[in-house]
């Protein structure tokens, strides 16, 4: 399970977080459906949401959860604030 978790985290980092940090963005929005498609629909959407909502993800990638955009009962996108100071010291 840890490998699956890490695979989702690495994809999100490389596809969304790293480019946003390189551009100097302060926040980045990550649509769960796009992550799901990028992973060839291998992992269930709920697993991707669990990864993005986790404290482990935020600590590993130095982000803070800013907002969730819900669709009825479940978040469909997450907006994260990029923590430049923590990332620079890591």
């Amino acid at each position: 399970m840890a490998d699956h978790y890490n695979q989702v985290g690495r994809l999100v980092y490389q596809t969304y977080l790293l480019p946003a940090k390189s551009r100097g963005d302060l926040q980045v929005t990550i649509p769960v459906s796009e992550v799901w498609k990028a992973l060839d629909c291998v992992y269930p959407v709920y697993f991707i949401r669990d990864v993005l909502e986790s404290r482990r993800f935020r600590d590993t990638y130095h982000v803070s959860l800013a907002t969730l955009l819900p669709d009825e009962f479940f978040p469909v996108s997450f907006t994260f604030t990029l923590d430049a100071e923590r990332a620079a010291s890591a």
Side-chain angles (χ1 to χ4, degrees), residues 8-21 30 57 60-62 87:
V8 172
R10 278 192 305 271
L11 176 96
V12 169
Y13 178 74
Q14 293 170 350
T15 305
Y16 295 96
L17 301 178
L18 193 58
K21 287 179 182 186
I30 302 168
F57 177 82
T60 299
Y61 296 105
H62 310 291

Side-chain angles (χ1 to χ4, degrees), residues 13-56:
Y13 178 74
Q14 293 170 350
T15 305
Y16 295 96
L17 301 178
L18 193 58
K21 287 179 182 186
S22 296
R23 291 189 302 266
D25 295 348
L26 299 177
Q27 290 189 329
V28 62
T29 299
I30 302 168
V32 173
S33 62
E34 287 184 19
V35 175
W36 180 68
K37 289 175 191 172
L39 292 166
D40 296 323
C41 310
V42 171
Y43 302 113
V45 171
Y46 71 82
F47 179 75
I48 295 166
R49 285 193 302 255
D50 287 349
V51 170
L52 295 176
E53 285 181 309
S54 72
R55 168 60 65 190
R56 178 178 168 192

Side-chain angles (χ1 to χ4, degrees), residues 74-89:
F74 303 107
V76 295
S77 68
F78 293 79
T79 300
F80 292 98
T81 301
L82 306 174
D83 190 345
E85 287 181 27
R86 282 181 55 200
S89 66

Side-chain angles (χ1 to χ4, degrees), residues 64-76:
S64 301
L65 185 58
T67 60
L68 299 172
L69 179 62
D71 178 18
E72 290 194 37
F73 303 107
F74 303 107
V76 295

